[in-house]
Amino acid sequence: MSVSDEFDAWAADGRDKGMEERHWHTAKHVLSRMPVEAGDTVLDLGTGSGYPLRALADTKDIGRGYGLDGAPEMARNAREYTREAGHDNIGFVVGDFGSLPFADDSIDHVVTMEAFYYSSDPRETLREVARVLRPGGTFHCAVNYYEENVHSHEWQENIAIDMTRWDASEYRAAFREAGLAVATQDNIADEEIEIPPAAHFPTDDWESREAMVERYRTYGTLLTVGVA
Amino acid sequence: MSVSDEFDAWAADGRDKGMEERHWHTAKHVLSRMPVEAGDTVLDLGTGSGYPLRALADTKDIGRGYGLDGAPEMARNAREYTREAGHDNIGFVVGDFGSLPFADDSIDHVVTMEAFYYSSDPRETLREVARVLRPGGTFHCAVNYYEENVHSHEWQENIAIDMTRWDASEYRAAFREAGLAVATQDNIADEEIEIPPAAHFPTDDWESREAMVERYRTYGTLLTVGVA
Amino acid sequence: MQESLLDIVCCPLDKSDLELEAIRRDDDEVLEGRLVCTECSEEYPIEDGIPNLLPPDMREA
Amino acid sequence: MQESLLDIVCCPLDKSDLELEAIRRDDDEVLEGRLVCTECSEEYPIEDGIPNLLPPDMREA
Ligand SMILES: Nc1ncnc2c1ncn2[C@@H]1O[C@H](CSCC[C@H](N)C(=O)O)[C@@H](O)[C@H]1O
Ligand SMILES: Nc1ncnc2c1ncn2[C@@H]1O[C@H](CSCC[C@H](N)C(=O)O)[C@@H](O)[C@H]1O
């Protein structure tokens, strides 16, 4: 099963926009933390609809933004949304996390939202990130599928790609092994998703209100920040 | 006016514990983000009551913690609280931010809570931090007195030490100038301080509820994370 | 794709420079064409303005 | 102060190693004494278990 087999279908039936909407609750915090200066070059891995680059162009005056995705239909949609929004310094490429098509030291900051765990070899991906970043460049890696987030464990059942489920300390160790200093690590809560009153549970997705609160407000997304 | 002239009095009349209580609302988030591994050596600059090191010893199994403070009475209280709490791997030294008494590359992580802006030469302090940190070591620098936080500007009137009031981008630029890569930057809200209902305003300290909300919930403390 | 991408893009396999062979352009982008590796000569297609830089064995048929 | 501090502490002025001259100890700490710079011979007092490593011109009289 390839990334494009899986995710082209997501793009075709609108799940790219659905993810953007849900991920934005936490992604906006990740993006606002990035120490991006005017003119910087930013790479977004597994860009989906491409919203992180549009947000960085709107708020931080990036020089250039590149979105990489393994699913051609995702890149196609992302390019269209970005043109419609009038950005002319953001481009998209189809590529794989395992062999980034960017020169050594060519990127100031890399970001990835809810995509890293799909990498077929996450340690190789980290080495590639360390390679393309200039010395002192940062990697903001946000994942909602990880060991401590027990509510995410079942996601693997619904997807044909093998997912990586590290815990927070495994993220730190793997970053360091790849030559990225770990700067900081944090859980970013989703404070915006609406959680119904207790009487509405069980819902289609949640057994109990406590479980849903824990998933979104406590665990949220795990952000690990590395520096090359 | 020296640091000890100003702050020894704070320690003597219990303001060290008062600060600990107030700063804890945001400090606990800063401390939990630090990528400290078991056995690491951590330095806390302007340690006050010394609570950051006690918290790191309790939660992250640090190897050794050192708290530096320019006010001997602060260090004396901090040492006493720490002995009472039964920690035997935390020590305190009297020293100045401008000439740290630690060897090059001897520290894994440096933290400072609401103290950096008292440095008489903050750029020199950053160079000192870069010097004592091992390559890849981190500096978590949290300040509630900074340019964007307009509600803090008046604090200078009540203190005889010249305070540094940089904005977020000046923090980033100064870190880089000192050889610290800026990894990430963020405002950490104080979600815990009790804010009275609108009818109670003006209070002794606050003209309006909006101002108090902005001060604590929006601005909070500015965290800049650097990597040596 | 914009030509400025050439400054930083490289062959995903050997990380060598790529050469642009443009077939169709609009005002600011290359819409159809190829990126060719100056080292291994591998060709990467550009379609609808998007270069496909997947390693060749991962590319769709 | 615990003696393990000697591993990483240095003279605030010239960053050279310090030598411990202990005057009073308890089970695990030096309570009174001096840290003496092996380079500039500056002396830093240890009082009530806390070394004062302020540059001498900033030290209280
Ligand atoms: N190995 C791989 N190489 C490149 N892209 C990959 C990949 N594995 C998964 N992806 C892409 O990663 C994305 C994950 S979905 C997340 C999309 C977006 N960042 C958001 O926050 O909404 C998908 O678009 C998928 O096509
Ligand atoms: N130049 C300097 N060198 C060393 N310590 C200093 C200093 N300027 C201020 N300080 C110390 O910094 C502290 C600031 S108050 C903050 C204390 C503690 N970190 C907390 O969060 O509550 C005081 O204890 C003061 O004595």
Side-chain angles (χ1 to χ4, degrees), chain A:
Chain A
M1 189 77 182
S2 78
V3 168
S4 109
D5 288 340
E6 178 78 40
F7 290 101
D8 276 339
W10 294 33
D13 69 12
R15 268 181 283 176
D16 58 338
K17 278 292 189 182
M19 288 193 294
E20 166 174 343
E21 221 171 275
R22 278 178 289 122
H23 295 165
W24 180 248
H25 300 172
T26 48
K28 64 181 177 188
H29 298 292
V30 174
L31 298 167
S32 83
R33 291 184 187 189
M34 291 177 70
V36 171
E37 305 300 335
D40 278 356
T41 297
V42 179
L43 171 63
D44 180 23
L45 296 180
T47 194
S49 76
Y51 71 91
L53 297 166
R54 292 190 292 277
L56 288 172
D58 286 338
T59 57
K60 303 215 180 192
D61 194 21
I62 54 174
R64 299 198 222 158
Y66 296 108
L68 177 143
D69 207 287
E73 293 304 320
M74 284 283 185
R76 191 188 293 268
N77 284 0
R79 177 168 181 270
E80 201 164 299
Y81 305 144
T82 303
R83 284 165 68 98
E84 279 163 14
H87 295 289
D88 59 6
N89 58 342
I90 298 173
F92 295 91
V93 307
V94 175
D96 187 71
F97 293 168
S99 41
L100 299 182
F102 296 97
D104 298 7
D105 300 349
S106 62
I107 308 282
D108 294 300
H109 303 283
V110 177
V111 61
T112 183
M113 287 297 310
E114 320 308 359
F116 179 80
Y117 37 77
Y118 295 123
S119 173
S120 60
D121 183 346
R123 289 170 208 280
E124 173 189 60
T125 298
L126 289 172
R127 288 193 298 272
E128 279 288 89
V129 168
R131 180 184 66 76
V132 303
L133 279 173
R134 60 150 168 94
T138 73
F139 179 38
H140 280 62
C141 176
V143 296
N144 49 19
Y145 181 79
Y146 60 100
E147 185 59 27
E148 289 88 344
N149 181 5
V150 291
H151 309 292
S152 71
H153 290 189
E154 67 187 36
W155 300 354
Q156 176 69 80
E157 292 162 29
N158 302 313
I159 194 159
I161 295 173
D162 278 336
M163 296 167 78
T164 292
R165 202 172 80 205
W166 287 339
D167 67 20
S169 74
E170 288 175 298
Y171 269 93
R172 297 198 303 274
F175 270 50
R176 291 177 182 130
E177 210 183 291
L180 295 167
V182 179
T184 199
Q185 194 177 47
D186 187 23
N187 285 78
I188 298 184
D190 178 342
E191 300 286 358
E192 283 167 59
I193 195 167
E194 216 188 302
I195 300 185
H200 294 218
F201 289 83
T203 67
D204 289 352
D205 294 324
W206 295 98
E207 270 302 312
S208 71
R209 190 167 194 280
E210 292 70 52
M212 190 174 177
V213 166
E214 184 177 72
R215 155 70 184 93
Y216 288 103
R217 307 283 201 250
T218 306
Y219 295 139
T221 194
L222 175 70
L223 174 67
T224 308
V225 179
V227 171

